[in-house]
CSV table of all heavy atoms in Angstrom, one decimal:
chain,number,residue,atom,x,y,z
T,1,MET,N,113.6,99.6,114.7
T,1,MET,CA,112.7,98.5,114.8
T,1,MET,C,113.3,97.2,114.4
T,1,MET,O,114.2,97.1,113.5
T,1,MET,CB,111.5,98.8,113.8
T,1,MET,CG,110.4,97.8,113.9
T,1,MET,SD,109.1,98.2,112.7
T,1,MET,CE,109.0,96.7,111.8
T,2,ARG,N,113.0,96.1,115.1
T,2,ARG,CA,113.5,94.8,114.7
T,2,ARG,C,112.3,93.8,114.7
T,2,ARG,O,111.2,94.2,115.1
T,2,ARG,CB,114.6,94.3,115.6
T,2,ARG,CG,114.2,94.1,117.0
T,2,ARG,CD,115.4,93.8,117.9
T,2,ARG,NE,115.0,93.6,119.3
T,2,ARG,CZ,114.6,92.4,119.7
T,2,ARG,NH1,114.6,91.3,118.9
T,2,ARG,NH2,114.2,92.2,121.0
T,3,VAL,N,112.6,92.6,114.2
T,3,VAL,CA,111.5,91.7,114.0
T,3,VAL,C,111.9,90.3,114.6
T,3,VAL,O,113.0,89.9,114.5
T,3,VAL,CB,111.2,91.5,112.5
T,3,VAL,CG1,110.1,90.4,112.3
T,3,VAL,CG2,110.8,92.8,111.8
T,4,GLU,N,110.9,89.7,115.3
T,4,GLU,CA,111.1,88.4,115.8
T,4,GLU,C,110.2,87.4,115.1
T,4,GLU,O,109.1,87.7,114.7
T,4,GLU,CB,110.8,88.4,117.3
T,4,GLU,CG,111.8,89.0,118.2
T,4,GLU,CD,111.5,88.8,119.7
T,4,GLU,OE1,110.4,88.4,120.0
T,4,GLU,OE2,112.4,89.1,120.5
T,5,VAL,N,110.7,86.1,115.0
T,5,VAL,CA,109.9,85.1,114.4
T,5,VAL,C,109.5,84.0,115.5
T,5,VAL,O,110.4,83.7,116.3
T,5,VAL,CB,110.6,84.4,113.2
T,5,VAL,CG1,111.9,83.8,113.6
T,5,VAL,CG2,109.7,83.4,112.5
T,6,ASP,N,108.3,83.6,115.4
T,6,ASP,CA,107.9,82.4,116.2
T,6,ASP,C,108.1,81.2,115.4
T,6,ASP,O,107.3,80.9,114.5
T,6,ASP,CB,106.4,82.6,116.7
T,6,ASP,CG,105.9,81.5,117.5
T,6,ASP,OD1,106.6,80.4,117.5
T,6,ASP,OD2,104.9,81.6,118.2
T,7,SER,N,109.2,80.5,115.6
T,7,SER,CA,109.5,79.4,114.7
T,7,SER,C,108.5,78.2,114.8
T,7,SER,O,108.4,77.4,113.9
T,7,SER,CB,110.9,78.8,115.0
T,7,SER,OG,111.0,78.5,116.3
T,8,ASP,N,107.7,78.2,115.8
T,8,ASP,CA,106.6,77.2,115.9
T,8,ASP,C,105.5,77.5,114.9
T,8,ASP,O,104.8,76.6,114.5
T,8,ASP,CB,106.1,77.1,117.3
T,8,ASP,CG,107.1,76.4,118.3
T,8,ASP,OD1,107.9,75.7,117.8
T,8,ASP,OD2,107.0,76.7,119.5
T,9,ARG,N,105.3,78.8,114.6
T,9,ARG,CA,104.2,79.2,113.7
T,9,ARG,C,104.7,79.2,112.3
T,9,ARG,O,103.8,79.1,111.4
T,9,ARG,CB,103.7,80.5,114.1
T,9,ARG,CG,103.1,80.6,115.5
T,9,ARG,CD,102.5,81.9,115.8
T,9,ARG,NE,101.3,82.1,115.1
T,9,ARG,CZ,100.0,82.2,115.6
T,9,ARG,NH1,99.9,82.1,116.9
T,9,ARG,NH2,99.0,82.4,114.9
T,10,CYS,N,105.9,79.6,112.0
T,10,CYS,CA,106.4,79.8,110.7
T,10,CYS,C,106.4,78.4,109.9
T,10,CYS,O,106.8,77.4,110.4
T,10,CYS,CB,107.9,80.2,110.7
T,10,CYS,SG,108.6,80.4,109.1
T,11,VAL,N,105.8,78.5,108.7
T,11,VAL,CA,105.7,77.3,107.8
T,11,VAL,C,106.7,77.4,106.7
T,11,VAL,O,106.7,76.5,105.8
T,11,VAL,CB,104.3,77.1,107.3
T,11,VAL,CG1,103.4,76.8,108.5
T,11,VAL,CG2,103.8,78.3,106.6
T,12,GLY,N,107.5,78.5,106.6
T,12,GLY,CA,108.6,78.5,105.7
T,12,GLY,C,108.3,78.7,104.2
T,12,GLY,O,109.1,78.3,103.4
T,13,HIS,N,107.2,79.3,103.9
T,13,HIS,CA,106.9,79.4,102.4
T,13,HIS,C,107.6,80.7,101.8
T,13,HIS,O,107.6,80.8,100.6
T,13,HIS,CB,105.4,79.4,102.1
T,13,HIS,CG,104.6,80.3,103.0
T,13,HIS,ND1,104.9,81.6,103.2
T,13,HIS,CD2,103.6,80.0,103.9
T,13,HIS,CE1,104.0,82.1,104.1
T,13,HIS,NE2,103.2,81.1,104.5
T,14,GLY,N,108.1,81.5,102.7
T,14,GLY,CA,109.0,82.6,102.2
T,14,GLY,C,108.4,83.8,101.7
T,14,GLY,O,109.1,84.6,101.0
T,15,LEU,N,107.2,84.1,102.0
T,15,LEU,CA,106.6,85.4,101.6
T,15,LEU,C,107.4,86.6,102.1
T,15,LEU,O,107.7,87.6,101.4
T,15,LEU,CB,105.2,85.5,102.1
T,15,LEU,CG,104.2,86.3,101.3
T,15,LEU,CD1,104.1,85.9,99.9
T,15,LEU,CD2,102.8,86.3,102.0
T,16,CYS,N,107.9,86.5,103.4
T,16,CYS,CA,108.7,87.5,104.0
T,16,CYS,C,110.0,87.7,103.2
T,16,CYS,O,110.5,88.8,103.0
T,16,CYS,CB,108.9,87.3,105.4
T,16,CYS,SG,109.7,85.7,105.8
T,17,GLU,N,110.6,86.6,102.8
T,17,GLU,CA,111.9,86.6,102.1
T,17,GLU,C,111.7,87.3,100.8
T,17,GLU,O,112.6,88.0,100.3
T,17,GLU,CB,112.4,85.1,101.9
T,17,GLU,CG,113.8,85.0,101.3
T,17,GLU,CD,114.3,83.6,101.3
T,17,GLU,OE1,113.5,82.7,101.5
T,17,GLU,OE2,115.5,83.4,101.0
T,18,ALA,N,110.6,87.1,100.1
T,18,ALA,CA,110.3,87.8,98.9
T,18,ALA,C,110.2,89.3,99.1
T,18,ALA,O,110.6,90.1,98.2
T,18,ALA,CB,109.0,87.2,98.2
T,19,THR,N,109.7,89.7,100.2
T,19,THR,CA,109.5,91.1,100.5
T,19,THR,C,110.9,91.8,100.8
T,19,THR,O,111.2,92.9,100.4
T,19,THR,CB,108.6,91.3,101.7
T,19,THR,OG1,107.3,90.7,101.3
T,19,THR,CG2,108.4,92.8,102.0
T,20,ALA,N,111.7,91.1,101.7
T,20,ALA,CA,113.0,91.7,102.1
T,20,ALA,C,114.0,90.6,102.2
T,20,ALA,O,114.3,90.1,103.2
T,20,ALA,CB,112.8,92.4,103.5
T,21,PRO,N,114.6,90.2,101.0
T,21,PRO,CA,115.5,89.1,101.0
T,21,PRO,C,116.8,89.3,101.7
T,21,PRO,O,117.4,88.3,102.1
T,21,PRO,CB,115.7,88.9,99.5
T,21,PRO,CG,115.3,90.2,98.8
T,21,PRO,CD,114.3,90.8,99.7
T,22,ASP,N,117.2,90.5,102.0
T,22,ASP,CA,118.4,90.8,102.8
T,22,ASP,C,118.2,90.4,104.3
T,22,ASP,O,119.1,90.2,105.0
T,22,ASP,CB,118.8,92.2,102.7
T,22,ASP,CG,119.4,92.5,101.3
T,22,ASP,OD1,119.6,91.6,100.5
T,22,ASP,OD2,119.5,93.7,100.9
T,23,VAL,N,116.9,90.5,104.7
T,23,VAL,CA,116.6,90.4,106.1
T,23,VAL,C,116.1,89.0,106.4
T,23,VAL,O,116.5,88.4,107.5
T,23,VAL,CB,115.5,91.4,106.5
T,23,VAL,CG1,115.1,91.2,108.0
T,23,VAL,CG2,116.0,92.8,106.2
T,24,PHE,N,115.3,88.4,105.6
T,24,PHE,CA,114.6,87.1,105.9
T,24,PHE,C,115.2,86.0,105.0
T,24,PHE,O,115.3,86.2,103.8
T,24,PHE,CB,113.1,87.2,105.7
T,24,PHE,CG,112.5,88.3,106.5
T,24,PHE,CD1,112.2,89.5,106.0
T,24,PHE,CD2,112.2,88.0,107.9
T,24,PHE,CE1,111.6,90.5,106.8
T,24,PHE,CE2,111.6,89.0,108.6
T,24,PHE,CZ,111.3,90.2,108.1
T,25,GLU,N,115.5,84.9,105.5
T,25,GLU,CA,115.9,83.7,104.7
T,25,GLU,C,115.4,82.5,105.3
T,25,GLU,O,115.6,82.2,106.5
T,25,GLU,CB,117.4,83.7,104.7
T,25,GLU,CG,117.9,82.5,103.8
T,25,GLU,CD,119.4,82.4,103.7
T,25,GLU,OE1,120.1,83.2,104.4
T,25,GLU,OE2,119.9,81.5,103.0
T,26,VAL,N,114.7,81.7,104.5
T,26,VAL,CA,114.1,80.4,105.0
T,26,VAL,C,115.3,79.4,105.1
T,26,VAL,O,116.0,79.2,104.1
T,26,VAL,CB,113.0,79.9,104.1
T,26,VAL,CG1,112.6,78.5,104.6
T,26,VAL,CG2,111.9,80.8,104.0
T,27,GLY,N,115.6,79.0,106.3
T,27,GLY,CA,116.8,78.1,106.5
T,27,GLY,C,116.4,76.6,106.3
T,27,GLY,O,115.3,76.2,106.1
T,28,ASP,N,117.4,75.8,106.5
T,28,ASP,CA,117.3,74.4,106.4
T,28,ASP,C,116.3,73.8,107.4
T,28,ASP,O,115.7,72.7,107.1
T,28,ASP,CB,118.6,73.7,106.6
T,28,ASP,CG,119.6,74.0,105.4
T,28,ASP,OD1,119.1,74.5,104.4
T,28,ASP,OD2,120.8,73.8,105.6
T,29,GLY,N,116.1,74.5,108.5
T,29,GLY,CA,115.1,74.0,109.5
T,29,GLY,C,113.7,74.2,109.1
T,29,GLY,O,112.8,73.7,109.7
T,30,GLY,N,113.5,74.9,107.9
T,30,GLY,CA,112.1,75.0,107.4
T,30,GLY,C,111.4,76.2,108.0
T,30,GLY,O,110.2,76.4,107.8
T,31,TYR,N,112.1,77.0,108.7
T,31,TYR,CA,111.6,78.3,109.2
T,31,TYR,C,112.5,79.4,108.9
T,31,TYR,O,113.7,79.2,108.7
T,31,TYR,CB,111.2,78.2,110.7
T,31,TYR,CG,112.3,77.9,111.6
T,31,TYR,CD1,113.1,78.9,112.2
T,31,TYR,CD2,112.6,76.6,112.0
T,31,TYR,CE1,114.1,78.7,113.0
T,31,TYR,CE2,113.6,76.3,112.9
T,31,TYR,CZ,114.4,77.3,113.4
T,31,TYR,OH,115.4,77.1,114.2
T,32,VAL,N,112.0,80.7,109.1
T,32,VAL,CA,112.8,81.8,108.6
T,32,VAL,C,113.9,82.2,109.6
T,32,VAL,O,113.7,82.1,110.8
T,32,VAL,CB,111.9,83.0,108.2
T,32,VAL,CG1,111.5,83.7,109.4
T,32,VAL,CG2,112.5,83.9,107.2
T,33,ILE,N,115.0,82.6,109.1
T,33,ILE,CA,116.1,83.2,109.9
T,33,ILE,C,116.1,84.7,109.6
T,33,ILE,O,116.1,85.1,108.5
T,33,ILE,CB,117.5,82.5,109.5
T,33,ILE,CG1,117.4,81.0,109.6
T,33,ILE,CG2,118.6,83.1,110.4
T,33,ILE,CD1,117.2,80.4,110.9
T,34,ILE,N,116.3,85.5,110.7
T,34,ILE,CA,116.3,86.9,110.5
T,34,ILE,C,117.7,87.5,110.8
T,34,ILE,O,118.3,87.1,111.8
T,34,ILE,CB,115.3,87.6,111.5
T,34,ILE,CG1,113.8,87.1,111.2
T,34,ILE,CG2,115.3,89.1,111.4
T,34,ILE,CD1,112.8,87.5,112.1
T,35,ASP,N,118.1,88.3,109.8
T,35,ASP,CA,119.4,89.0,110.0
T,35,ASP,C,119.1,90.3,110.7
T,35,ASP,O,118.7,91.3,110.0
T,35,ASP,CB,120.0,89.2,108.6
T,35,ASP,CG,121.4,89.8,108.6
T,35,ASP,OD1,121.7,90.6,109.6
T,35,ASP,OD2,122.2,89.5,107.7
T,36,ASP,N,119.4,90.4,112.0
T,36,ASP,CA,119.1,91.6,112.7
T,36,ASP,C,119.9,92.8,112.2
T,36,ASP,O,119.3,93.9,112.2
T,36,ASP,CB,119.5,91.4,114.2
T,36,ASP,CG,118.5,90.5,114.9
T,36,ASP,OD1,117.3,90.4,114.5
T,36,ASP,OD2,118.9,89.7,115.8
T,37,GLU,N,121.1,92.6,111.8
T,37,GLU,CA,121.9,93.8,111.3
T,37,GLU,C,121.2,94.3,110.0
T,37,GLU,O,121.1,95.5,109.8
T,37,GLU,CB,123.3,93.3,111.0
T,37,GLU,CG,124.3,94.5,110.8
T,37,GLU,CD,125.7,94.0,110.7
T,37,GLU,OE1,126.1,93.1,111.4
T,37,GLU,OE2,126.4,94.6,109.9
T,38,ALA,N,120.9,93.4,109.1
T,38,ALA,CA,120.2,93.8,107.9
T,38,ALA,C,118.9,94.5,108.2
T,38,ALA,O,118.5,95.5,107.5
T,38,ALA,CB,120.0,92.7,106.9
T,39,ALA,N,118.2,94.0,109.2
T,39,ALA,CA,116.9,94.6,109.6
T,39,ALA,C,117.0,96.0,110.0
T,39,ALA,O,116.2,96.8,109.8
T,39,ALA,CB,116.2,93.7,110.6
T,40,SER,N,118.1,96.3,110.7
T,40,SER,CA,118.3,97.6,111.3
T,40,SER,C,118.5,98.6,110.2
T,40,SER,O,118.3,99.8,110.4
T,40,SER,CB,119.5,97.6,112.3
T,40,SER,OG,120.7,97.4,111.6
T,41,SER,N,119.0,98.2,109.0
T,41,SER,CA,119.2,99.2,107.9
T,41,SER,C,118.1,99.0,106.8
T,41,SER,O,118.2,99.7,105.8
T,41,SER,CB,120.6,99.0,107.3
T,41,SER,OG,120.8,97.7,106.9
T,42,CYS,N,117.2,98.2,107.1
T,42,CYS,CA,116.1,98.0,106.1
T,42,CYS,C,115.0,99.0,106.2
T,42,CYS,O,114.8,99.5,107.3
T,42,CYS,CB,115.5,96.6,106.3
T,42,CYS,SG,114.2,96.1,105.2
T,43,ALA,N,114.4,99.4,105.1
T,43,ALA,CA,113.2,100.3,105.2
T,43,ALA,C,112.2,99.7,106.1
T,43,ALA,O,111.8,98.6,106.0
T,43,ALA,CB,112.7,100.5,103.8
T,44,GLU,N,111.7,100.6,107.1
T,44,GLU,CA,110.7,100.1,108.1
T,44,GLU,C,109.5,99.7,107.4
T,44,GLU,O,108.8,98.7,107.8
T,44,GLU,CB,110.5,101.2,109.1
T,44,GLU,CG,109.7,100.7,110.3
T,44,GLU,CD,109.6,101.8,111.4
T,44,GLU,OE1,110.7,102.3,111.8
T,44,GLU,OE2,108.5,102.1,111.8
T,45,SER,N,109.1,100.3,106.3
T,45,SER,CA,107.9,99.9,105.6
T,45,SER,C,108.0,98.5,105.0
T,45,SER,O,107.0,97.8,105.0
T,45,SER,CB,107.6,100.9,104.4
T,45,SER,OG,108.7,100.9,103.5
T,46,ASP,N,109.2,98.1,104.6
T,46,ASP,CA,109.3,96.7,104.1
T,46,ASP,C,109.2,95.7,105.3
T,46,ASP,O,108.6,94.6,105.1
T,46,ASP,CB,110.7,96.5,103.5
T,46,ASP,CG,110.7,97.1,102.1
T,46,ASP,OD1,109.6,97.5,101.5
T,46,ASP,OD2,111.8,97.2,101.5
T,47,LEU,N,109.7,96.1,106.4
T,47,LEU,CA,109.6,95.2,107.6
T,47,LEU,C,108.1,95.0,108.0
T,47,LEU,O,107.7,93.9,108.3
T,47,LEU,CB,110.4,95.7,108.8
T,47,LEU,CG,111.9,95.7,108.6
T,47,LEU,CD1,112.6,96.3,109.8
T,47,LEU,CD2,112.5,94.3,108.2
T,48,ARG,N,107.4,96.2,108.0
T,48,ARG,CA,106.0,96.1,108.4
T,48,ARG,C,105.2,95.3,107.4
T,48,ARG,O,104.3,94.6,107.7
T,48,ARG,CB,105.5,97.5,108.5
T,48,ARG,CG,106.0,98.3,109.7
T,48,ARG,CD,105.2,99.5,110.1
T,48,ARG,NE,105.9,100.3,111.1
T,48,ARG,CZ,106.0,100.0,112.4
T,48,ARG,NH1,105.3,98.9,112.8
T,48,ARG,NH2,106.6,100.7,113.2
T,49,THR,N,105.5,95.5,106.1
T,49,THR,CA,104.8,94.7,105.1
T,49,THR,C,105.0,93.2,105.3
T,49,THR,O,104.1,92.4,105.3
T,49,THR,CB,105.4,95.1,103.7
T,49,THR,OG1,105.0,96.4,103.4
T,49,THR,CG2,104.7,94.2,102.6
T,50,ALA,N,106.3,92.8,105.6
T,50,ALA,CA,106.6,91.4,105.9
T,50,ALA,C,105.8,90.9,107.1
T,50,ALA,O,105.2,89.8,107.1
T,50,ALA,CB,108.1,91.2,106.1
T,51,VAL,N,105.8,91.7,108.1
T,51,VAL,CA,105.0,91.3,109.4
T,51,VAL,C,103.6,91.2,109.1
T,51,VAL,O,102.9,90.2,109.4
T,51,VAL,CB,105.3,92.3,110.5
T,51,VAL,CG1,104.4,92.0,111.7
T,51,VAL,CG2,106.7,92.3,111.0
T,52,ASN,N,103.0,92.2,108.4
T,52,ASN,CA,101.6,92.2,108.2
T,52,ASN,C,101.1,91.1,107.2
T,52,ASN,O,99.9,90.7,107.2
T,52,ASN,CB,101.1,93.6,107.7
T,52,ASN,CG,101.3,94.6,108.8
T,52,ASN,OD1,101.3,94.3,110.0
T,52,ASN,ND2,101.5,95.9,108.4
T,53,ASN,N,102.0,90.7,106.3
T,53,ASN,CA,101.6,89.8,105.2
T,53,ASN,C,101.9,88.3,105.6
T,53,ASN,O,101.6,87.4,104.8
T,53,ASN,CB,102.2,90.2,103.9
T,53,ASN,CG,101.7,91.4,103.3
T,53,ASN,OD1,100.6,91.9,103.7
T,53,ASN,ND2,102.3,92.0,102.3
T,54,CYS,N,102.5,88.1,106.7
T,54,CYS,CA,102.8,86.7,107.1
T,54,CYS,C,101.5,86.0,107.3
T,54,CYS,O,100.8,86.3,108.3
T,54,CYS,CB,103.7,86.6,108.3
T,54,CYS,SG,103.9,84.9,108.9
T,55,PRO,N,101.2,85.0,106.5
T,55,PRO,CA,99.9,84.3,106.7
T,55,PRO,C,99.8,83.5,108.0
T,55,PRO,O,98.7,83.1,108.4
T,55,PRO,CB,99.8,83.4,105.4
T,55,PRO,CG,101.0,83.5,104.7
T,55,PRO,CD,101.9,84.5,105.4
T,56,SER,N,100.9,83.2,108.6
T,56,SER,CA,100.9,82.4,109.8
T,56,SER,C,101.0,83.3,111.1
T,56,SER,O,101.1,82.7,112.2
T,56,SER,CB,102.0,81.4,109.8
T,56,SER,OG,102.0,80.6,108.7
T,57,ALA,N,101.0,84.6,110.9
T,57,ALA,CA,101.2,85.5,112.0
T,57,ALA,C,102.4,85.1,112.8
T,57,ALA,O,102.4,85.1,114.1
T,57,ALA,CB,100.0,85.6,112.8
T,58,ALA,N,103.5,84.7,112.1
T,58,ALA,CA,104.7,84.2,112.8
T,58,ALA,C,105.7,85.4,113.1
T,58,ALA,O,106.6,85.1,113.9
T,58,ALA,CB,105.4,83.2,112.0
T,59,LEU,N,105.5,86.5,112.5
T,59,LEU,CA,106.4,87.6,112.7
T,59,LEU,C,105.8,88.7,113.7
T,59,LEU,O,104.6,89.0,113.6
T,59,LEU,CB,106.8,88.3,111.4
T,59,LEU,CG,107.4,87.4,110.4
T,59,LEU,CD1,107.6,88.1,109.0
T,59,LEU,CD2,108.8,86.9,110.9
T,60,ARG,N,106.7,89.3,114.5
T,60,ARG,CA,106.3,90.3,115.4
T,60,ARG,C,107.3,91.5,115.3
T,60,ARG,O,108.5,91.3,115.4
T,60,ARG,CB,106.2,89.7,116.8
T,60,ARG,CG,105.7,90.6,117.9
T,60,ARG,CD,105.3,89.9,119.1
T,60,ARG,NE,106.5,89.4,119.8
T,60,ARG,CZ,106.9,89.9,120.9
T,60,ARG,NH1,106.3,90.9,121.5
T,60,ARG,NH2,108.0,89.5,121.5
T,61,ALA,N,106.7,92.7,115.2
T,61,ALA,CA,107.6,93.9,115.2
T,61,ALA,C,107.9,94.3,116.6
T,61,ALA,O,107.0,94.3,117.5
T,61,ALA,CB,106.9,95.0,114.5
T,62,ILE,N,109.2,94.6,116.9
T,62,ILE,CA,109.6,95.1,118.2
T,62,ILE,C,110.0,96.5,118.0
T,62,ILE,O,111.0,96.8,117.3
T,62,ILE,CB,110.8,94.2,118.8
T,62,ILE,CG1,110.5,92.7,118.7
T,62,ILE,CG2,111.1,94.7,120.2
T,62,ILE,CD1,109.4,92.2,119.6
T,63,GLU,N,109.3,97.4,118.7
T,63,GLU,CA,109.6,98.8,118.5
T,63,GLU,C,110.8,99.2,119.4
T,63,GLU,O,111.0,98.7,120.4
T,63,GLU,CB,108.4,99.7,118.9
T,63,GLU,CG,107.2,99.4,118.0
T,63,GLU,CD,107.3,99.7,116.6
T,63,GLU,OE1,108.2,100.5,116.2
T,63,GLU,OE2,106.6,99.2,115.8
C,101,SF4,S1,105.9,84.7,105.7
C,101,SF4,FE1,105.7,84.0,107.8
C,101,SF4,S2,105.3,81.8,107.7
C,101,SF4,FE2,106.2,82.5,105.7
C,101,SF4,S3,108.4,82.2,105.9
C,101,SF4,FE3,108.0,84.3,106.5
C,101,SF4,S4,107.7,84.2,108.8
C,101,SF4,FE4,107.5,82.1,108.0
């Protein structure tokens, strides 16, 4: 599973980064950058938590 971000929706408050800091990092642009390699080795439950808890619905899980 991997995760995509809609940078137009992301407001950069970093809830996802708090859930899986190896995968998500709020960049200088004010939206999150996703490390695909880290995502591939991350617990799927953590990725789903990040997707489901994003208040802006900016994250999407790709099966
Ligand atoms: S939780 Fe959602 S809105 Fe917040 S930084 Fe992550 S992707 Fe962006």
